[in-house]
Amino acid sequence: MGLNDFWFLLIAVLWTGYFFLEGFDFGVGILTRLLARDRTERRVLINIIGPVWDGNEVWLITAAGAMFAAFPVWYATFFSSFYLLLVLALLLLIVRVLAFEYRHKRPEESWQRNWELVLFASSLLLPFLWGMMFANMVRGVPINSQQDFAGSFADLLNWPALLGGLAFVALCTVHGAVFTALKTVGDIRVRARTFATKATVVALLLGGALLIWIQAERGTAWTAMALAVAVVGLLGTLAMNAKAREGWAFSFTGVAIASVVAAIFLALAPDLMPSSLNDAWNLTIDNSASGPYTLKVMTWVAVIMMPLVLLYQGWTYWVFRKRIGPQHIPADAH
């Protein structure tokens, strides 16, 4: 395996880590309106992701940075092709941060309600936008011979992109529901399991449809294997959720999300972004990579820093491992 292949694999791992970790806090944000019955329960949901949501976003920054350094042509074309979608995603990420940080700064009900609505809307729209972008990557976008985006925003609005957006939302919602059941006690835990069962059925339909399309579009034996693992993951979620084994159910939803992301990158390889105009103009692992010296230095940095990041995040999850419920929320806190 050359350094080009290694960095393609590592970037796929970074995106997988992002969707695995940020996926459940997107899902919890969505559940603040779909599951929580009152403000106290919404505060419970916000508190279970409060200590970790910002650390989860480190994976997005790292993935984008790795794309920039290892495959600058891919980075440039990706960001120019999906410019409007990425600007909207950036704005949503910013207001989502504000929703976490500002919601409790004032005691007025209208102030807190509005920021909770912002949290819900941003948590719903962000996975939809990511799903659109990655589905379009598999489908191919108009890239010309100079490796520039030669289309318009209308080219990105197609049924596979919409399917990708809906599938990502459904998967994140299931992931968040199972995480909620894993981290809460009492009635909200029971309702989270019930909701997770219903949401898993929807995720099976939408996620299965997305994976079948990927298999038909650019399928290989490897993508077929990823498809099968994703389905097994969601079926395992149903089985473990029915037995109230939330830890196992969460692991299975994680396997399903990781398999979907793996299917996308396996379908792309050895391309990074296929051109819908001419296959000869595809961005590939070889024609988009940085020089050998840059990749070598980056590899040493990754070998040193990645274990430290994993240890730090693992420690954070261990410290905040306990379950909480409405009884742990002070009535007068703001």
Side-chain angles (χ1 to χ4, degrees):
M1 177 188 293
L3 288 178
N4 295 10
D5 301 306
F6 171 78
W7 275 97
F8 175 77
L9 177 61
L10 183 57
I11 288 169
V13 170
L14 291 171
W15 278 110
T16 301
Y18 173 66
F19 288 119
F20 177 85
L21 295 171
E22 189 85 314
F24 71 73
D25 70 51
F26 284 152
V28 172
I30 293 170
L31 294 179
T32 57
R33 285 290 156 184
L34 301 185
L35 180 68
R37 291 176 173 171
D38 53 35
R39 174 138 302 133
T40 299
E41 289 192 350
R42 282 193 287 277
R43 286 164 60 188
V44 169
L45 295 181
I46 292 170
N47 282 354
I48 64 174
I49 58 174
V52 298
W53 66 267
D54 50 353
N56 295 342
E57 292 186 351
V58 169
W59 289 79
L60 171 62
I61 297 168
T62 307
M67 288 173 64
F68 170 76
F71 300 99
V73 177
W74 182 21
Y75 175 89
T77 306
F78 180 89
F79 275 71
S80 60
S81 300
F82 305 129
Y83 180 77
L84 290 177
L85 295 177
L86 284 165
V87 168
L88 180 56
L90 179 61
L91 292 174
L92 289 170
L93 286 167
I94 291 171
V95 298
R96 192 166 184 266
V97 172
L98 296 177
F100 279 112
E101 300 296 337
Y102 281 15
R103 184 193 60 82
H104 62 283
K105 296 297 185 183
R106 290 171 57 178
E108 292 89 348
E109 182 177 347
S110 59
W111 172 271
Q112 296 189 9
R113 181 179 63 250
N114 290 337
W115 282 117
E116 288 165 0
L117 287 171
V118 169
L119 175 61
F120 166 74
S122 58
S123 299
L124 179 69
L125 290 173
L126 277 164
F128 184 81
L129 293 175
W130 289 124
M132 285 187 67
M133 285 183 260
F134 278 88
N136 269 304
M137 279 177 59
V138 175
R139 179 176 180 267
V141 295
I143 300 173
N144 61 24
S145 59
Q146 284 75 46
Q147 300 177 322
D148 296 324
F149 179 65
S152 65
F153 181 70
D155 294 312
L156 308 180
L157 301 177
N158 50 75
W159 73 263
L162 297 177
L163 175 61
L166 292 173
F168 270 56
V169 170
L171 287 166
C172 289
T173 303
V174 173
H175 205 33
V178 174
F179 184 76
T180 299
L182 178 64
K183 294 290 292 179
T184 57
V185 294
D187 180 59
I188 193 171
R189 176 187 177 189
V190 176
R191 284 188 284 115
R193 286 204 306 268
T194 302
F195 187 94
T197 298
K198 298 175 182 177
T200 303
V201 175
V202 177
L204 266 170
L205 296 174
L206 292 172
L210 175 65
L211 290 170
I212 290 171
W213 170 77
I214 291 174
Q215 187 66 25
E217 188 79 8
R218 298 175 61 89
T220 64
W222 290 106
T223 56
M225 188 182 301
L227 188 159
V229 172
V231 171
V232 169
L234 290 175
L235 292 176
T237 300
L238 283 174
M240 293 298 103
N241 194 52
K243 296 179 180 180
R245 301 289 297 274
E246 291 102 344
W248 279 104
F250 182 71
S251 299
F252 275 114
T253 57
V255 167
I257 288 176
S259 299
V260 170
V261 180
I264 290 171
F265 280 92
L266 289 168
L268 287 171
D271 294 329
L272 300 174
M273 285 187 72
S275 171
S276 60
L277 302 178
N278 190 326
D279 288 343
W281 300 338
N282 292 354
L283 302 186
T284 69
I285 294 173
D286 293 324
N287 68 18
S288 303
S290 294
Y293 181 75
T294 299
L295 295 178
K296 185 176 180 180
V297 172
M298 288 175 58
T299 301
W300 280 109
V301 172
V303 167
I304 295 170
M305 297 305 298
M306 280 292 290
L308 295 177
V309 172
L310 292 172
L311 284 171
Y312 168 75
Q313 283 209 290
W315 175 79
T316 302
Y317 280 94
W318 174 255
V319 169
F320 294 100
R321 67 190 180 278
K322 292 184 179 180
R323 298 174 182 265
I324 64 171
Q327 67 271 26
H328 299 109
I329 305 297
D332 58 348
H334 64 82

